[in-house]
Amino acid sequence: MDTYQKPLEDVDAALKRLNATLASYKVASTTKPAPAATAPMKAPAPAATPANKANGNKTSIPATRPAPASKNGQQSNGHPRSADRTAEPTGPGSNPAESPSDLPQVRPDLLWQEAMKLRFCDRSSRRTMMLGPDFPGMSGDQFAIDRQIDDIMMLQEHYLVDYPYLLPIRLLTAQKYLQLGYPDLAAGEAYKALLLCDAVRDPSDDYHQMAAPQLREFIQQVPVAERLRQLKCDPDGVQELPPGSSGEVMDFELDLWVRYHYLPWAHRLLVVGLMYCGCYKTAWYKAWKAMDSIEKTTGDVVDQWLVDVTVGCEQAVQKLWGMSHDDWEKLGHWNNGKEYPDLGRVRREVYPWNEWEPDRLAELPQLNAMMAAVAPKLEVRAVELPALTGSSESATVMQLGVFAKEDIAPGEVVLSETSMLTANNKLRDTLCDACSADLPDLNSPTADQVRECPDCQAVFCSPTCLSRAEATYHRATCGNDLDALLRDVPAAEAADSLYSLLLMRAIAMADVQECHPLELDEVRYIWGDFHHLPITPTHFKPSVLNHQALNNSDRFDEGHGQLPRTLPWSFEHNIRLPIQMLEKMEIDPFAEPNYDLWVCNTLFAKFRGTASARLSGSSQAGRATRARGPEVSAVHPMWCLANHSCDPNVRWEWGGSIEFTAREERVQWKGRGVEGGVRLRKEGGVRRGEEVVNHYCDVELDVKERREWARGALGGECRCERCVWEAGQEGGGE
Ligand SMILES: C[S@@+](CC[C@H](N)C(=O)[O-])C[C@H]1O[C@@H](n2cnc3c(N)ncnc32)[C@H](O)[C@@H]1O
C-alpha cells in the first residue's frame, strides 16, 4: 500500500476520481440488494446439492452440505432441529427481481443487513476506536435462543457455503457463536477471518483471488454516501487516496475497510473467545500482538477491549495460582504470559445443528450387524449407568453396553477388531502406517509381507493393510508432507498429539471415502460423553458481553452460557492444527463445511474417552505409559462400546487388531460377595446375558489411583462395585 501513502496535491481531484469510481460500479444507493444485472454476487443455491467432495473435487468451489444421514427429529441435547430451510434464499441475490415472491425473505435479508452493519470504527473519532462498539448480547428467552440457533444454521448452510471467503459473514458467524456461549467456535471463525484479512490485503496470498472479489462486491452494496463518509471522515482518509485507476481506488477502499473494521473486530473476537475458554497464554499473547497490529494499521489508537483481555487473563491466572497481588507483581507474572496455562475447557455437546449424530437405540440392529462381524458371541444393548458427571449419586444415564449372547469359556477370544483409525506420534518407529502394529524384523518369516507405498515412504505390515489403506485414507495423506506433524513430542503433550493425529486420519478417511467425517463407521456410533442439558432458559444463561464481564474472571463461565464444559480445548489443537492439516491435504478450510471446527470438536469429544492408547512395541497400557506418554492410539468402534469395571471379566490386548479374551480368573478383592441376592463369581469366563466389562485403567492399582487414572475416560469418579467398597473401607480407616 506504500504507493497510496503519497501526499495528494489535489484533494478535490481525488474525491472526483473516487466518485467516478463509485459511479462506474453502479452501486445501489440503499442497503437493499441490487437487481440481478448489477449484483454480481449470485444467489445461493436454492436446494441442497451433493457436496463437491462427492465428485472427488478438491477445488475451492463452495460445497453445499449433503442431506443429513440422521433421521432423528430430536437432537440428543433435547433441542428440536430447526426446520429444513434449504429452499430459502439468502444474501444479496434474494431480491424480488430474481426470486418468486412466495419465498420467505425477511430473515435472510436481516442477516445480510446485520453483516453490512458490522463495522468497528468510525474514523472520525479516536474515542470510538478506544472503546469500539460493544458486542451485542442476546436475551435468554427461548425465542431468542431458537432464533440465534436458526441464524447460525442459516449462516452455516447458506451464507458460508455461498460466500466462504467473505469477511463480514465470517465475523457475523463468530459473533453469533459468542452470543450463544460458544467462545471456542467464535475464536475459530475469528481466526479464519484474520486469515481472510491477510488474504484480502496480500495479492500473493493463496486465497486473495477469492477473498478480495467477495469483499469488493459486498462493499459495493453499501450505500455510496456511507462509503464516501468512510473515506472522508478524517482528513487522512482523503489524503491517502491513491492517484491511480478506479481499480486501485477500489483496492484502497477494501484495504481501508479491512484495517478499520474487520481486522480489529476479528482480533477482538479471537482473544475474547480464547480467554473465555481458558487459553490464557494464547489470549494474552494475541491481545498484545493485536494491539500492536492495530496500532500499525490504523494509527495511534488502543482498543480498550484488548486491554481488558490482558487484564482478565492476568486476573484469572493469578487466581488459579492462588497468588497474592504483591507476589504476582514481584515475580513479574503480570508481564510474562508465556507461563500462563493454555489448556481450556469448552462445552461438550451435540450441537443443535449437528444432524449427524445417530439415534443409537433406534439403530441397534445396524450396530449389532457390525458387532457380529468382529464378535459373533456378543451383542450391544441399552444399559443404565450411573451418571458420573452430575452432583447426584443416584442419577443414571441410558447408554450402550456389550453383553454375551452365549456362554464364553475362560481364555476364549470373544472379539477381534482391526481399525484404520489409528495414529502414532513416533517419527522413526517401525509401525504399520495403517493398523499401527509393529513391523516384523527383517529376519522374521513375515518380513516379506511388508509393503511400501510406491509414491511416499509409508510402510505397511502386509499387502492387506496396504490395500485397506489405499481404499480408506492413504490418497489424502500420500506425499502431503504430514509426517513430521505432531511427532516426537514431549511426554506431557503425547496424548493430545495422538488425538490430533486421529483427527487427521479421520479427515483423510472422510476425504477418500467421500463422506462426512461424523458418518464414518469408526466414528458414527461412538458416544462423545456429551452433556445432556438442553439449551433452554432453565440451563442456559446468555453472557453479558461488556467490559465488566471481561475484567472479571469469576464471570468467564458466563461466556459458555453457564453450561457444563468438560471438553479439553486449545487454540493449537482445535483451531490452528486442524486448519493446517486441511491445507496440507489440499482441502480448503474455508469452503469445506464438512470439516468445520465444530465437527473437529465433535470428533475430539468422541475420541477422548474411547481411543485406546499404548506404547509402541508393547501391547498393553500400563505404568510405563505414564512416564513416556502414549505413542500409539486407535479407535475401535465395537471394542469401545464395552463399559468399565475395576473387576473386569475380559482382558484386552492390542497388536494389529484389538482383542477381548475372557478372563481365566477375576481380580481378587476382599469385598467380593453378594450383590442383589446373587453371589458374584470369582471364576473366569462370561455367562450368557452377562455384561462384558472392560478395564480402562490398571486394575492392580489401589482405588485412589484407579479412580484418578480412569477419570478421563469415564468423565467422573468410578463408582463400580469394587471402587465403592474399597473407597468405603479406606474412608472407614480399615
Ligand atoms: C468407552 S465408552 C463405553 C460405551 C458407552 N457406554 C456407550 O454408550 O457408548 C465410555 C463411556 O461409557 C460410560 N461408562 C463406562 N463405564 C462406566 C461405568 N462403570 N460407570 C459409569 N459410566 C460408565 C461413561 O460415560 C464413559 O465416558
Side-chain angles (χ1 to χ4, degrees):
M1 303 308 295
D2 286 352
T3 52
Y4 301 146
Q5 312 293 339
K6 286 187 206 141
L8 279 178
E9 286 167 18
D10 186 345
V11 169
D12 279 348
L15 273 177
K16 262 191 209 139
R17 227 181 23 258
L18 176 68
N19 276 324
T21 304
L22 296 178
S24 76
Y25 280 113
K26 294 196 179 86
V27 286
S29 60
T30 71
T31 51
K32 274 201 177 144
T38 55
M41 286 193 138
K42 62 179 171 42
T49 58
N52 60 7
K53 286 280 123 182
N55 304 323
N57 184 355
K58 274 196 178 184
T59 67
S60 57
I61 299 165
T64 306
R65 185 145 70 173
S70 164
K71 301 284 180 287
N72 56 330
Q74 188 82 10
Q75 293 296 313
S76 316
N77 64 3
H79 195 87
R81 196 196 303 162
S82 286
D84 179 9
R85 300 187 305 170
T86 46
E88 285 188 29
T90 59
S94 56
N95 63 70
E98 57 184 34
S99 10
S101 57
D102 55 338
L103 287 177
Q105 295 188 26
V106 179
R107 296 290 306 132
D109 281 354
L110 282 181
L111 273 178
W112 196 258
Q113 280 165 29
E114 265 188 75
M116 285 260 171
K117 284 190 204 132
L118 220 155
R119 316 244 171 98
F120 187 74
C121 159
D122 178 343
R123 301 181 76 211
S124 59
S125 160
R126 286 267 154 92
R127 182 156 171 73
T128 315
M129 185 61 181
M130 278 289 286
L131 293 176
D134 280 349
F135 288 125
M138 58 175 270
S139 67
D141 58 90
Q142 194 63 55
F143 177 77
I145 293 171
D146 288 344
R147 183 176 159 149
Q148 189 79 354
I149 293 171
D150 275 2
D151 281 355
I152 289 175
M153 288 171 70
M154 185 63 97
L155 286 161
Q156 287 174 345
E157 291 176 11
H158 297 282
Y159 286 72
L160 286 171
V161 168
D162 292 327
Y163 307 106
Y165 310 100
L166 187 50
L167 256 169
I169 292 295
R170 285 277 160 207
L171 289 169
L172 184 65
T173 312
Q175 187 173 295
K176 291 201 176 274
Y177 279 140
L178 190 69
Q179 290 163 325
L180 198 60
Y182 298 110
D184 47 329
L185 301 180
E189 288 301 331
Y191 182 68
K192 285 186 184 172
L194 280 175
L195 297 178
L196 289 173
C197 286
D198 288 346
V200 170
R201 300 183 71 211
D202 176 3
S204 67
D205 188 287
D206 285 349
Y207 298 101
H208 179 78
Q209 293 303 336
M210 283 80 83
Q214 289 199 351
L215 186 60
R216 190 176 300 132
E217 289 174 28
F218 182 84
I219 291 175
Q220 279 166 6
Q221 292 181 24
V222 175
V224 180
E226 170 63 13
R227 286 172 67 190
L228 273 173
R229 202 179 67 78
Q230 291 294 318
L231 283 163
K232 287 197 297 185
C233 66
D234 74 12
D236 296 345
V238 174
Q239 277 167 24
E240 285 168 21
L241 275 175
S245 65
S246 58
E248 279 177 344
V249 175
M250 189 71 219
D251 280 350
F252 172 79
E253 196 184 354
L254 272 195
D255 186 67
L256 184 136
W257 277 68
V258 171
R259 281 188 293 135
Y260 280 87
H261 297 309
Y262 302 135
L263 201 61
W265 201 243
H267 278 307
R268 211 189 235 199
L269 280 159
L270 175 65
V271 299
V272 170
L274 292 175
M275 180 179 74
Y276 277 160
C277 293
C279 305
Y280 301 122
K281 176 174 152 183
T282 312
W284 187 89
Y285 176 74
K286 285 197 179 293
W288 279 107
K289 263 193 79 175
M291 283 190 256
D292 196 40
S293 146
I294 291 173
E295 195 183 326
K296 279 201 190 101
T297 50
T298 58
D300 184 19
V301 281
V302 182
D303 176 18
Q304 186 58 43
W305 286 69
L306 298 176
V307 177
D308 284 344
V309 166
T310 62
V311 175
C313 288
E314 288 162 24
Q315 196 197 87
V317 179
Q318 189 185 329
K319 212 173 287 173
L320 263 179
W321 289 349
M323 289 183 92
S324 71
H325 182 72
D326 286 352
D327 283 348
W328 176 261
E329 296 267 312
K330 215 174 346 167
L331 294 169
H333 288 308
W334 60 273
N335 195 20
N336 187 7
K338 262 191 256 153
E339 307 283 321
Y340 295 177
D342 215 23
L343 181 66
R345 281 188 188 265
V346 303
R347 282 156 66 176
R348 185 170 186 158
E349 68 183 36
V350 179
Y351 296 107
W353 50 86
N354 178 357
E355 291 164 333
W356 302 99
E357 196 57 33
D359 178 344
R360 300 190 308 163
L361 292 183
E363 294 187 28
L364 271 181
Q366 289 94 308
L367 254 171
N368 272 318
M370 287 167 73
M371 180 60 89
V374 296
K377 290 189 177 179
L378 302 183
E379 68 177 343
V380 186
R381 286 196 213 155
V383 64
E384 200 171 351
L385 294 171
L388 303 179
T389 40
S391 49
S392 155
E393 291 261 315
S394 57
T396 57
V397 283
M398 213 53 194
Q399 290 199 7
L400 300 181
V402 177
F403 290 78
K405 283 197 281 187
E406 45 194 281
D407 286 348
I408 295 159
E412 187 179 339
V413 174
V414 279
L415 175 144
S416 176
E417 187 179 19
T418 315
S419 177
M420 290 291 103
L421 186 42
T422 65
N424 88 79
N425 56 21
K426 305 309 289 173
L427 187 54
R428 263 165 277 280
D429 258 15
T430 47
L431 298 171
C432 172
D433 189 75
C435 72
S436 277
D438 297 319
L439 293 173
D441 258 12
L442 276 180
N443 302 326
S444 102
T446 51
D448 63 343
Q449 292 292 300
V450 173
R451 295 288 181 275
E452 203 170 298
C453 167
D455 301 315
C456 68
Q457 288 171 342
V459 186
F460 302 88
C461 65
S462 65
T464 313
C465 266
L466 171 61
S467 58
R468 288 184 72 188
E470 281 170 345
T472 54
Y473 72 88
H474 189 58
R475 190 160 26 86
T477 49
C478 184
N480 274 345
D481 186 28
L482 288 156
D483 279 351
L485 215 59
L486 294 157
R487 308 295 165 120
D488 290 338
V489 294
E493 292 163 32
D496 286 338
S497 77
L498 284 173
Y499 290 125
S500 285
L501 288 166
L502 285 173
L503 175 79
M504 187 161 91
R505 178 62 64 86
I507 293 172
M509 291 171 86
D511 188 46
V512 169
Q513 296 173 41
E514 296 176 0
C515 64
H516 193 282
L518 297 176
E519 220 186 349
L520 289 165
D521 277 350
E522 288 78 357
V523 168
R524 183 168 160 71
Y525 292 111
I526 294 178
W527 179 240
D529 249 339
F530 306 115
H531 76 72
H532 51 273
L533 300 175
I535 311 173
T536 59
T538 317
H539 306 286
F540 170 82
K541 307 269 174 287
S543 55
V544 180
L545 295 162
N546 62 20
H547 293 282
Q548 287 74 31
L550 283 181
N551 258 326
N552 183 353
S553 61
D554 287 339
R555 296 183 59 181
F556 288 178
D557 268 348
E558 288 178 18
H560 302 259
Q562 295 187 356
L563 280 162
R565 38 194 189 118
T566 57
L567 181 67
W569 190 93
S570 71
F571 171 75
E572 181 65 7
H573 286 275
N574 295 67
I575 296 182
R576 199 194 68 77
L577 276 166
I579 291 176
Q580 187 186 10
M581 289 171 189
L582 288 171
E583 289 188 325
K584 279 187 180 283
M585 286 189 241
E586 295 170 40
I587 298 172
D588 185 331
F590 298 100
E592 269 300 345
N594 282 5
Y595 307 105
D596 254 356
L597 296 176
W598 71 262
V599 177
C600 298
N601 275 3
T602 306
L603 289 167
F604 279 127
K606 288 184 175 236
F607 298 160
R608 285 182 180 268
T610 58
S612 28
R614 61 170 166 81
L615 290 169
S616 58
S618 83
S619 59
Q620 280 284 5
R623 286 163 205 259
T625 315
R626 270 188 276 189
R628 277 161 63 182
E631 295 165 345
V632 188
S633 183
V635 175
H636 297 92
M638 293 299 108
W639 174 85
C640 78
L641 288 173
N643 292 310
H644 165 84
S645 168
C646 295
D647 182 8
N649 52 16
V650 287
R651 280 183 281 114
W652 63 274
E653 216 162 318
W654 174 29
S657 60
I658 203 159
E659 288 180 351
F660 271 147
T661 308
R663 285 182 171 252
E664 282 85 0
E665 196 173 59
R666 302 288 283 267
V667 180
Q668 301 294 328
W669 57 283
K670 288 190 190 146
R672 179 188 299 288
V674 177
E675 189 197 329
V678 180
R679 181 142 205 99
L680 289 172
R681 293 172 341 113
K682 182 167 165 290
E683 71 273 19
V686 188
R687 289 208 185 121
R688 181 174 169 214
E690 202 178 324
E691 181 170 2
V692 169
V693 274
N694 188 11
H695 56 103
Y696 301 172
C697 62
D698 181 349
V699 288
E700 303 300 325
L701 300 173
D702 68 30
V703 57
K704 221 167 138 212
E705 282 185 293
R706 286 201 313 271
R707 282 185 153 174
E708 196 186 307
W709 195 230
R711 173 181 285 276
L714 284 174
E717 196 149 82
C718 182
R719 292 217 287 267
C720 75
E721 170 87 5
R722 181 179 166 205
C723 278
V724 170
W725 187 84
E726 288 181 1
Q729 295 299 301
E730 279 193 353
E734 193 200 29

